[in-house]
Amino acid sequence: MPLSPRVPELSALDVLLSVERLGSMGAAGREHGLSQQAVSARVRSAERQFGIKVFSRGASGVRPTSEGALILEWASHILATAEELASGVAALRGERQAGLTVAASMTIAEYLVPGWTVAMRRKYPNVVTNVRLLNSSEVTARVLSGEADLGFVEGPDIPAGLQVREIGRDHLVVVVPPDHEWVRRSPIPVSELAATPMIQRESGSGTRTTLENAVPQCVPPLLELTSCTAVKAAVVAGNAPAVLSSLAVAADLTDGRLASVQVEGLTLPRRLSAVWDPVRGVQGAARDFLDIALGAGAAAGVGALTAGATAQPR
């Protein structure tokens, strides 16, 4: 069957994802070497091709619509597969030494990895970086099996047999639409949070594992989704609570799209970590990528970084 005319080119999908991540046409243009007008034109063209409005524009920036959040989630998977194809082609052409496979859990992959890969491409243009977007348990499995050179996770459970380096910290936030009753009643009891069906990330994600460890009596979720962007869109559309990374909701809290809710006696801090096989070590392109991640995190003030720490086996 011919490719659907509703599917834009990969370069257009890449621009859409940059607009989503950066929240600005101008910032996305700077990342891609395009003018703001050119980015805006590509977004409008893609929206016409989809027949769906992907972004809403406002004084506070650009945000995905509910339908757009789903399109962007699917687009991220398409680009990840395209990167895997590029890496495979490079290997077939005898460029294995110039290839790097990075596995990253979804929150880190959505909000931190894109900037790291852009920096990697600019600094080491001959290295083909293949990024695989997975949940935390899948990331550690890929690193242990040798399918990934380097992994990034936000989950608390890191298997034995991996070396780990903390790259930063975040914390989980209970979020609801701004008109939700919990906003007026905050802080709410932990028992009420546990008894309320929430929109959650899938089982095995670092976000879900952290919440379940802290509040093990939570009832089954109202809905499970595989990306932070999709969860946020569902919170707004369904008037239901969710628990997400502070990285994922910072802009939404600032512009009033979401509101945070305090829970009595509950805090949900967590480490963001790089993991690798201690036998293979972290060297060459993997070492370069890790250095970029540490440097970018320090420059952005992402959590309490331990750039001078020595990695210890776990």
Side-chain angles (χ1 to χ4, degrees), residues 11-103:
S11 59
L13 297 180
D14 196 17
V15 168
L16 291 177
L17 290 170
S18 293
V19 172
E20 176 209 5
R21 176 169 51 83
L22 299 171
S24 161
M25 301 279 186
R30 288 189 293 274
E31 184 169 275
H32 288 271
L34 300 169
S35 68
Q36 180 174 336
Q37 293 76 13
V39 171
S40 181
R42 291 194 185 193
V43 170
R44 288 196 302 271
S45 176
E47 289 178 327
R48 286 195 298 270
Q49 198 167 351
F50 288 132
I52 293 173
K53 187 176 182 181
V54 177
F55 295 106
S56 59
R57 288 85 164 167
S60 59
V62 181
R63 296 286 179 268
T65 63
S66 297
E67 296 86 356
L70 293 173
I71 287 174
L72 291 165
E73 180 178 4
W74 295 328
S76 70
H77 294 304
I78 291 172
L79 288 182
T81 301
E83 288 285 354
E84 188 172 354
L85 172 63
S87 180
V89 170
L92 291 174
R93 295 179 60 184
E95 300 172 3
R96 289 179 176 82
Q97 297 303 314
L100 170 66
T101 299
V102 173

